[in-house]
Amino acid sequence: MKPSDFPEAIQPYLIPQPAGRLFYRCLQCEATHGIEALLYTCPACGHVLLLEDADADRLQTIPGETWRQIFDYRAMLTTPALKGIYRFHEFIGPILPPDAILYLGEGHTPVVAASERLCAQVGLNFYFKNDGQNPSASFKDRGMASALSYINYLVRSGTIAEVLAVCASTGDTSAAMALYGAYLQPQIKSAVLLPHKKVTPQQLAQPLGSGATVFEIPGVFDDCMKVVEALSETYNVALLNSKNAWRILGQESYSYEIAQAFDYDLADKVVVVPIGNAGNITAVMSGFLKFHATGVIDALPKIVGVQSSHANPVVSYYVEKDPGKRRFQPMTVRPSVAQAAMIGNPVSMPRVIHLVERYNQAAGKERIYFVEVSEQQIMDWELSANRHGHIACTHGGESLAGLIQAKTLGYVTADEIGILNSTAHALKFSGFQEMYFNDNFPADFEVTPKTELQNAPIYIHPPDLEAVPAPGNPLKGEAFQQFVSVVASDIAGRLKLKRR
Ligand SMILES: *Cc1c(COP(=O)(O)O)cnc(C)c1O
Ligand SMILES: [Zn+2]
């Protein structure tokens, strides 16, 4: 639909104009910094930053009801810049003119109800939000669309000429950055640092295919992160890890989409997210808080953050119930099938601590919970979900295992509704499914396959066949007839088919 086809009261709001005054705020010393320079940490004290809008009050002058209409009508527009995360422009990146916005198909990911049978097994109704259906097949595209749109804006306005984008990655950040960077050739070039053999072959193929320079580094993600931080402190590069607050801003769209998908009624909802570097849960909390503060939603949903027991520094922090006694301890991670979350020293931990407190305060009660699950539970629930029509990755399985754990612990009740982040596409992590099916997980994963969840192809090659077709060498005539009928009856026998 064209803007002129919409109700007159909404028309003036449909196409957003640049507005707002964004700045960085340090969560430690409270200092504020301008956004003209690309900052990742506070120049005064070195801590992480978040972006805030000095004119955020202007959003309060529009009633929540009007905001809801603006977003719902905007969803019908055909303008590419407003199809994805910038449908929520005023909340995501208000200073950006629409022509600087990069849209590669991210955002508006499907929310899929779990089947009755699966819900009955789990003990409550729930949905998967399939963020693996983003262009590079993970939620990371949301934050990259934001960060690269801002860089594009700086390039177009002549503030900077060319950019070398760098990131450390457990696989998906580099895939997303390389994709969005490639779109902005030649001004943007990309270089990614990956822990050697700690990303899947599919994830390695992505930045290579997008033309990025790919470095493999010994160690785990936390080691790569230190190297890339050293690079960004000494050299002229743009750091695209979630330490970059523009990434967080874009990822807030995940919360906004959930609000919209459930008609802005989140009182009985439980949003479940896996935690690695903790950028995503930071964004999810921040997004809901902003919608709540402006009256777009009346109630803050529960949030459950999930970690594997092999990489659980955030859960360990919150095990202590007395906030005054909590101490953050980075940990040494062990191998995890939720490999994209295999992080022992999450960069966004200070943001999490800050926002959990604000969130519970705004809700007037405890609304954020952290749970830990085993590698075994992650695999079993990923495979169970996918045997019921989903496309959950291992982290989606982690979300489901986390929901069940939260219910067991009494954090969630049977009358609530789960919304689970399947953060990437199942196919990126099919190697773990393969290990499960073939029962060849290295011992340190601590996964023992359940027979009822295993599967394997059946090779049909009847011994009484003289000839079989081969590529470039088809069978003809009698031999071909023979082949078709012998193979068909072999399959019919195995499937116990009845004759018609
Ligand atoms: C990055 C990532 C995570 C972890 O998100 P954080 O923001 O680092 O906490 C989880 N799942 C997948 C598939 C990811 O790519
Ligand atoms: Zn500071």
Side-chain angles (χ1 to χ4, degrees):
M1 265 166 65
K2 294 184 205 59
S4 55
D5 299 332
F6 290 88
E8 259 176 49
I10 288 298
Q11 284 185 25
Y13 299 108
L14 274 177
I15 308 295
Q17 295 306 315
R21 283 183 294 139
L22 294 184
F23 64 92
Y24 294 108
R25 180 186 297 282
C26 172
L27 293 182
Q28 179 72 17
C29 74
E30 308 253 306
T32 62
H33 307 282
I35 58 168
E36 314 73 49
L38 289 168
L39 287 185
Y40 317 111
T41 49
C42 175
C45 78
H47 273 73
V48 283
L49 307 165
L50 280 176
L51 282 158
E52 287 181 23
D53 186 347
D55 286 342
D57 282 354
R58 78 188 186 288
L59 304 177
Q60 316 262 6
T61 61
I62 297 176
E65 174 59 27
T66 309
W67 279 122
R68 296 192 280 271
Q69 287 180 0
I70 294 169
F71 299 139
D72 292 354
Y73 281 118
R74 258 187 209 160
M76 289 186 258
L77 286 174
T78 51
T79 318
L82 300 177
K83 290 221 80 65
I85 63 171
Y86 287 95
R87 178 156 87 259
F88 310 101
H89 181 270
E90 294 83 350
F91 291 77
I92 293 275
I95 61 157
L96 294 183
D99 67 356
I101 288 172
L102 204 55
Y103 170 67
L104 302 190
E106 68 288 337
H108 54 85
T109 55
V111 174
V112 179
S115 69
E116 273 178 40
R117 219 179 120 100
L118 186 58
C119 290
Q121 251 184 60
V122 169
L124 73 162
N125 289 335
F126 70 95
Y127 297 75
F128 271 111
K129 184 160 171 65
N130 286 337
D131 254 28
Q133 287 181 260
N134 277 301
S136 80
S138 88
F139 78 81
K140 299 294 200 298
D141 295 324
R142 298 177 179 277
M144 285 304 166
S146 163
L148 271 300
S149 290
Y150 180 58
I151 291 176
N152 188 35
Y153 166 67
L154 294 180
V155 170
R156 282 167 165 253
S157 58
T159 314
I160 49 178
E162 51 184 48
V163 177
L164 178 67
V166 299
C167 69
S169 178
T170 51
D172 292 331
T173 299
S174 53
M177 188 191 83
L179 178 67
Y180 286 76
Y183 193 83
L184 294 177
Q185 287 278 4
Q187 282 89 356
I188 311 263
K189 298 214 167 6
S190 300
V192 309
L193 279 69
L194 304 174
H196 184 54
K197 295 209 189 291
K198 285 279 172 287
V199 307
T200 72
Q202 296 86 337
Q203 290 172 316
L204 178 59
Q206 290 186 287
L208 289 172
S210 297
T213 306
V214 176
F215 298 102
E216 294 187 294
I217 312 279
V220 294
F221 170 83
D222 296 296
D223 304 303
C224 289
M225 191 66 215
K226 286 291 177 234
V227 175
V228 91
E229 280 172 346
L231 282 174
S232 70
E233 279 156 23
T234 315
Y235 301 96
N236 191 16
V237 294
L239 178 68
L240 267 297
N241 279 98
S242 54
K243 197 162 195 179
N244 181 330
W246 287 93
R247 287 272 313 279
I248 304 292
L249 207 54
Q251 281 168 208
E252 289 173 6
S253 60
Y254 184 79
S255 297
Y256 305 153
E257 284 179 23
I258 286 178
Q260 187 167 36
F262 289 91
D263 285 325
Y264 307 94
D265 179 9
L266 302 181
D268 58 348
K269 305 301 186 298
V270 182
V271 174
V272 187
V273 279
I275 304 176
N277 221 6
N280 204 29
I281 192 163
T282 294
V284 169
M285 290 188 283
S286 176
F288 284 129
L289 277 171
K290 286 180 191 171
F291 259 22
H292 189 248
T294 34
V296 184
I297 54 173
D298 298 326
L300 288 166
K302 265 185 198 167
I303 297 177
V304 176
V306 192
Q307 293 198 299
S308 156
S309 55
H310 286 191
N312 60 356
V314 181
V315 177
S316 302
Y317 175 84
Y318 282 103
V319 162
E320 172 59 59
K321 288 292 158 214
D322 178 357
K325 291 201 191 134
R326 286 178 188 148
R327 302 266 300 136
F328 180 70
Q329 281 288 353
M331 68 172 295
T332 304
V333 292
R334 286 182 284 155
S336 174
V337 296
Q339 191 170 258
M342 219 178 92
I343 296 175
N345 190 11
V347 159
S348 283
M349 192 64 205
R351 292 165 167 160
V352 172
I353 294 169
H354 171 77
L355 285 167
V356 166
E357 203 181 311
R358 271 191 56 206
Y359 199 95
N360 288 332
Q361 230 160 42
K365 57 189 166 193
E366 190 176 12
R367 287 299 263 173
I368 305 205
Y369 301 88
F370 297 91
V371 299
E372 174 179 316
V373 295
S374 67
E375 292 292 310
Q376 182 75 45
Q377 290 169 317
I378 296 174
M379 279 313 301
D380 290 348
W381 282 111
E382 182 207 0
L383 296 174
S384 300
N386 294 350
R387 290 179 83 107
H388 287 87
H390 293 284
I391 51 170
C393 64
T394 45
H395 315 79
E398 184 178 14
S399 293
L400 179 49
L403 177 70
I404 294 165
Q405 181 64 6
K407 183 159 178 280
T408 307
L409 295 173
Y411 299 158
V412 171
T413 53
D415 54 351
E416 293 181 294
I417 294 165
I419 303 161
L420 279 46
N421 197 343
S422 179
T423 43
H425 199 287
L427 293 177
K428 282 210 198 202
F429 297 92
S430 60
F432 294 115
Q433 172 180 294
E434 206 173 299
M435 286 191 220
Y436 193 101
F437 289 172
N438 299 335
D439 194 5
N440 58 6
F441 265 108
D444 45 7
F445 278 91
E446 300 175 299
V447 176
T448 310
K450 293 192 164 61
T451 326
E452 67 271 24
L453 292 175
Q454 282 179 310
N455 205 355
I458 301 162
Y459 186 42
I460 304 287
H461 194 138
D464 51 344
L465 270 180
E466 266 159 39
V468 293
N473 196 4
L475 287 183
K476 294 193 194 72
E478 183 62 25
F480 187 53
Q481 294 300 327
Q482 178 76 3
F483 167 78
V484 171
S485 107
V486 170
V487 169
S489 82
D490 189 334
I491 290 173
R494 289 165 192 267
L495 293 174
K496 302 190 173 62
L497 300 182
K498 294 200 176 63
R499 287 189 169 274
R500 333 201 239 177

